[in-house]
């Protein structure tokens, strides 16, 4: 009986058992290792792997892309549907995103003018809408967008995540399309948690502070970064994805709890003597965040190099009673509308009295938790009725102020 011949790679001669993949052609075979090597060779040859080698359907029409960019006012109008107030922050975000699109669509001319990106840092107390702004604008964009949390980052070599994992998540959102990822937008939340702690009494090293800021410098300014394809730590024998961050827009946000004291100290620095009192402007002590300046971020613990790479600084206003009342009912995905929809799925009509809504807002102002406080209060009020209503044969539920008071008083965690 004739012995069956074993299939071998036509280039390197390895057998089918020695390789992970063997592709069959018309007159031969090629293994996965030879495919990878051929790809690297093709990349090193000019005009082979660049845009001219792509089919016409895959080429980016920059003029067409520029026409489809939403204008700053259109971006703000979209944000207004989901986020109440914060007009200044919306304007800064809208202009920055619009300019980012225009920068990506910049024609290649020889006038020597190269538009630089303007990374943004948003400062505002908890519950004012920093993360909500980022999530909302992500719905509108047609570039990869990801939100990462700065609290998980540590210096290289310590337990935690390297700053390069930011780009890993952006690649995942872009389905590992490198060209698309290099045109994306990253929102880094809780940037204030990596502030330098110079007065830290501990003898241990602060591995999640200044060292992380130093590691982020190269990402923010723009360089080619070696990114592990699956995230995690880097290893010497690992294959990396080379990501160019020059066209990635970074938006940072943080609560910067206690920075109001730094602002107050700066504003009162030159108020000694009669002449200074005459020239001192009136300061709104209830909203110190509107006077924030880069030197306040430096006093808080951000290093000057990272502040310089975040040239656009904007603030979010604290939420007063009226703003919280609007947040409760007006946005497309407001808290009240979410609960109405939940009950509607059980064929139950849910309504809130005006007095009940005002009571919820009063409690949120009292707890000083911003918009997040609204959600926790409403959840506490609604838990009992959400437990009972689906099992009862009822078609309508009305939440009154008296019922809301009873539910909050019966909850030990929410008693004022």
């Amino acid at each position: 009986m004739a012995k069956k011949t074993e299939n071998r790679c036509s280039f390197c001669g390895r057998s089918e058992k020695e390789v992970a993949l063997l592709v069959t052609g018309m007159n031969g075979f090629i293994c996965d290792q030879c495919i990878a090597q051929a790809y690297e060779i093709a990349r090193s040859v000019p005009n082979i792997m660049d845009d001219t080698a792509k089919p016409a359907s895959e080429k980016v029409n920059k003029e067409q892309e520029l026409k489809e960019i939403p204008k700053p006012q259109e971006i703000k109008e979209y944000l207004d549907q989901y986020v109440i107030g914060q007009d200044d922050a919306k304007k800064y975000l809208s202009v920055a995103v619009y300019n980012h699109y225009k920068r990506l669509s910049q024609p290649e001319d020889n006038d020597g003018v190269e538009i630089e990106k303007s990374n943004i840092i948003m400062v505002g107390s908890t519950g004012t809408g920093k993360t909500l702004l980022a999530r909302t604008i992500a719905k509108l964009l047609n570039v990869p967008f990801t939100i990462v949390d700065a609290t998980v980052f540590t210096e290289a070599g310590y337990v935690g995540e390297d700053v390069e994992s930011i780009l890993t998540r952006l690649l995942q959102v872009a389905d590992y399309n490198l060209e698309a990822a290099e045109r994306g937008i990253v929102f880094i939340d809780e940037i204030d948690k990596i502030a330098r702690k110079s007065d830290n009494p501990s003898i241990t090293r602060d591995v999640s502070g200044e060292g992380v800021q130093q590691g982020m410098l190269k990402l923010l300014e723009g360089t080619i970064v070696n990114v592990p394809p699956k995230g995690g730590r880097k290893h010497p024998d690992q294959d990396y994805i080379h990501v160019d961050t020059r066209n990635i827009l970074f938006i940072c946000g943080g609560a910067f709890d206690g920075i109001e004291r730094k602002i107050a100290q700066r504003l009162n620095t030159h108020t000694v003597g009669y002449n200074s009192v005459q020239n001192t402007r009136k300061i709104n002590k209830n909203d110190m965040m509107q006077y924030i300046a880069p030197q306040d971020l430096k006093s808080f613990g951000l290093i000057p190099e990272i502040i310089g790479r975040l040239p656009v600084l904007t603030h979010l206003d604290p939420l007063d009673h009226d703003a919280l009342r609007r947040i409760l009912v007006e946005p497309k995905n407001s808290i009240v509308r979410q609960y109405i929809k939940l009950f509607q799925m059980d064929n139950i009509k849910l309504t809130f009295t005006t007095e009940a809504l005002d009571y919820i807002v009063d409690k949120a102002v009292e707890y000083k938790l911003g918009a997040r406080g609204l959600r926790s209060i409403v959840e506490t009020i609604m838990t009992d009725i959400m437990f009972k209503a689906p099992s009862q044969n009822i078609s309508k539920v009305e939440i009154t102020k008296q019922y809301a008071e009873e539910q909050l008083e019966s909850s030990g965690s929410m008693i004022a």
Side-chain angles (χ1 to χ4, degrees):
M1 184 176 178
K3 186 177 180 181
K4 183 181 178 182
T5 57
E6 190 173 17
N7 295 332
R8 291 181 175 274
C9 177
S10 303
F11 292 87
C12 65
R14 293 187 180 93
S15 67
E16 194 171 8
K17 295 179 180 179
E18 296 175 320
V19 296
L21 176 68
L22 192 66
V23 180
T24 305
M26 290 289 293
N27 299 310
F29 306 90
I30 183 170
C31 68
D32 57 320
Q33 298 179 29
C34 290
I35 292 173
Q37 189 173 7
Y39 174 75
E40 293 298 330
I41 294 172
R43 286 185 61 184
S44 65
V45 179
N47 301 326
I48 294 295
M49 299 300 290
D50 62 2
D51 191 59
T52 58
K54 294 180 182 179
S57 60
E58 293 185 12
K59 294 182 180 179
V60 178
N61 188 336
K62 291 188 174 182
E63 293 184 1
Q64 182 65 26
E65 184 180 285
L66 187 60
K67 291 178 182 178
E68 296 174 355
I69 299 173
K71 303 297 187 293
Q73 287 188 347
E74 296 172 1
I75 297 174
K76 184 180 180 298
E77 288 171 2
Y78 181 81
L79 293 174
D80 287 337
Q81 299 177 27
Y82 295 90
V83 185
I84 298 298
Q86 312 302 359
D87 288 335
D88 288 341
K90 289 176 185 174
K91 288 178 183 177
Y92 276 105
L93 264 180
S94 302
V95 171
V97 170
Y98 181 67
N99 288 341
H100 180 62
Y101 274 102
K102 289 199 296 184
R103 183 173 179 271
L104 297 178
S105 305
Q106 181 182 4
E108 296 178 2
D109 45 32
N110 297 320
D111 60 0
V113 179
E114 183 179 350
I115 303 173
E116 295 186 0
K117 65 177 178 178
S118 297
N119 298 320
I120 309 171
I121 182 166
M122 296 191 298
V123 180
S125 55
T126 181
T128 51
K130 298 181 295 296
T131 309
L132 178 61
L133 278 171
R135 287 178 179 164
T136 305
I137 208 167
K139 300 176 185 176
L140 183 65
L141 305 182
N142 58 0
V143 294
F145 188 105
T146 186
I147 300 176
V148 297
D149 197 325
T151 55
V152 300
F153 300 134
T154 57
E155 289 184 41
Y158 292 87
V159 175
E161 291 190 24
D162 289 337
V163 291
E164 286 82 1
S165 63
I166 293 173
L167 302 179
T168 302
R169 297 181 191 182
L170 188 62
L171 280 167
Q172 291 170 349
V173 172
D175 292 329
Y176 287 91
N177 182 338
L178 183 59
E179 183 180 355
E182 289 178 346
R183 300 158 58 86
I185 298 177
V186 176
F187 180 79
I188 305 176
D189 206 1
E190 308 290 355
I191 191 74
D192 56 313
K193 304 305 186 292
I194 59 171
R196 177 171 51 192
K197 302 173 180 65
S198 57
D199 56 347
N200 186 7
S202 175
I203 61 173
T204 58
R205 179 170 179 152
D206 178 23
V207 300
S208 61
E210 183 177 356
V212 176
Q213 294 186 52
Q214 298 285 359
M216 289 177 62
L217 292 178
K218 58 182 180 179
L219 299 182
L220 297 176
E221 185 169 16
T223 186
I224 295 177
V225 182
N226 294 329
V227 181
K230 296 182 180 179
R233 289 295 182 187
K234 292 182 176 179
H235 302 288
D237 299 330
Q238 193 174 16
D239 293 329
Y240 297 115
I241 299 175
H242 306 292
V243 181
D244 190 346
T245 65
R246 286 178 297 177
N247 291 330
I248 298 176
L249 180 68
F250 290 90
I251 304 172
C252 300
F256 290 87
D257 187 34
I259 200 171
E260 292 90 346
R261 292 192 294 271
K262 308 287 185 183
I263 299 172
Q265 290 172 5
R266 174 175 56 82
L267 294 176
N268 292 329
T269 300
H270 303 291
T271 56
V272 178
Y274 177 77
N275 186 52
S276 62
V277 173
Q278 294 281 65
N279 297 326
T280 300
R281 59 179 175 175
K282 293 183 179 180
I283 298 172
N284 181 6
K285 294 183 180 179
N286 296 323
D287 184 13
M288 296 296 293
M289 205 69 81
Q290 63 180 304
Y291 308 113
I292 193 166
Q295 54 262 46
D296 300 318
L297 300 179
K298 182 176 180 292
S299 300
F300 190 85
L302 294 188
I303 59 177
E305 295 91 335
I306 206 167
I307 296 172
R309 287 165 175 81
L310 297 167
V312 181
L313 171 61
T314 183
H315 73 284
L316 280 83
D317 301 317
L319 299 175
D320 56 13
H321 186 281
D322 293 337
L324 289 171
R325 181 68 167 77
R326 295 178 60 199
I327 288 171
L328 194 59
V329 295
E330 287 188 15
K332 276 190 173 182
N333 60 339
S334 69
I335 300 170
V336 168
R337 291 187 181 183
Q338 291 179 38
Y339 283 97
I340 290 174
K341 187 170 184 178
L342 281 173
F343 276 78
Q344 190 176 7
M345 294 170 72
D346 287 324
N347 297 319
I348 301 174
K349 183 180 179 181
L350 174 66
T351 57
F352 290 81
T353 64
T354 303
E355 293 78 12
L357 294 175
D358 290 335
Y359 175 74
I360 292 170
V361 173
D362 290 339
K363 284 297 179 181
V365 172
E366 182 182 336
Y367 297 145
K368 296 180 181 179
L369 293 175
R372 289 192 182 93
L374 289 174
R375 179 62 190 244
S376 61
I377 293 169
V378 176
E379 186 73 26
T380 304
I381 294 171
M382 300 300 298
T383 298
D384 191 53
I385 191 67
M386 286 192 295
F387 177 76
K388 296 177 181 178
S391 302
Q392 299 175 349
N393 188 18
I394 56 176
S395 60
K396 184 177 179 180
V397 170
E398 184 179 58
I399 305 299
T400 62
K401 179 182 178 182
Q402 181 181 355
Y403 178 81
E405 288 176 342
E406 292 173 356
Q407 292 301 312
L408 283 185
E409 288 174 2
S410 64
S411 175
S413 60
M414 298 299 292
I415 294 177

